[in-house]
Amino acid sequence: MTVATLDLPARSYGRLSIALHWLMLALLVAVYATILLRQEFPRGSETRDALKAWHFSLGLTVFALVWLRVIGRWIGGRIERTGVWPDRIAGLMHLALYAFMIAMPLLGWLTLSAEGDPVRLFGLGLPPLAGPDAALAKQTEQIHETLGTVGYWLVGLHAAAALVHHYLLRDGTLKRMTRW
């Protein structure tokens, strides 16, 4: 296989993997949008509360779907790469993204639980992960917010790497994830 062409590598991602990849991106954008838009409305307003509820539900949806991706990656294996260090960097990036998509919803759920607030997934009540604990709530909320900022960087680096593969390395990596 030559690196100088945009030909698709012999093995491409399956339709379900591709669909889950782009669905997860859309969900992450919506999760961030709801929490950012929420700040534009006064405390106690219906819109602010609705955006907060959507933030929680969409975040928990990410949590559920990331497990499908983890299982799919475990069962289906990985696409072969061309080199040792690029493969390791890609593996670390994917590990970081998966850890992010698991940790963030769990931290949000734990924060709500420790605040004594109900945890709802599209209206369905979920069990608390902890009892009311103001110190725990404050600590997990701070970690959640810090990791939220890290998430921007992870997604941005992932997208930048895809563009490097497409335009500089010309190895078909981006095409594998966009070909339906």
Side-chain angles (χ1 to χ4, degrees):
M1 177 171 95
T2 64
V3 180
T5 68
L6 280 176
D7 295 333
L8 270 178
R11 189 164 168 227
S12 191
Y13 292 102
R15 289 177 187 224
L16 181 59
S17 292
I18 293 170
L20 277 174
H21 177 272
W22 295 108
L23 175 60
M24 298 295 281
L25 174 62
L27 285 170
L28 287 174
V29 167
V31 166
Y32 276 103
T34 54
I35 207 63
L36 291 173
L37 285 172
R38 173 181 162 261
Q39 298 169 6
E40 300 299 318
F41 296 92
R43 288 185 185 269
S45 71
E46 278 187 40
T47 305
R48 184 181 178 106
D49 291 344
L51 287 167
K52 186 177 178 181
W54 274 100
H55 176 76
F56 300 149
S57 291
L58 293 171
L60 290 168
T61 302
V62 167
F63 181 71
L65 291 177
V66 73
W67 291 106
L68 288 177
R69 297 210 44 207
V70 168
I71 292 166
R73 189 172 171 107
W74 182 64
I75 291 171
R78 294 181 15 217
I79 301 259
E80 303 255 341
R81 304 259 193 250
T82 58
V84 174
W85 69 266
D87 193 24
R88 287 186 181 152
I89 292 171
L92 286 173
M93 175 56 78
H94 285 107
L95 178 65
L97 284 165
Y98 286 126
F100 170 77
M101 291 185 286
I102 291 168
M104 285 297 285
L106 280 177
L107 286 166
W109 189 348
L110 184 57
T111 299
L112 285 176
S113 298
E115 288 174 343
D117 291 339
V119 180
R120 301 205 182 282
L121 174 63
F122 299 109
L124 175 69
L126 299 178
L129 295 180
D133 182 337
L136 177 62
K138 183 177 179 180
Q139 184 179 28
T140 56
E141 185 174 29
Q142 287 174 344
I143 296 168
H144 184 76
E145 289 176 1
T146 300
L147 285 180
T149 302
V150 170
Y152 284 118
W153 286 96
L154 288 174
V155 171
L157 286 171
H158 183 67
L163 294 174
V164 165
H165 276 279
H166 188 71
Y167 291 108
L168 297 178
L169 301 177
R170 302 178 66 82
D171 63 5
T173 297
L174 182 60
K175 280 188 170 187
R176 285 195 302 240
M177 193 48 77
T178 57
R179 177 140 305 173
W180 293 93

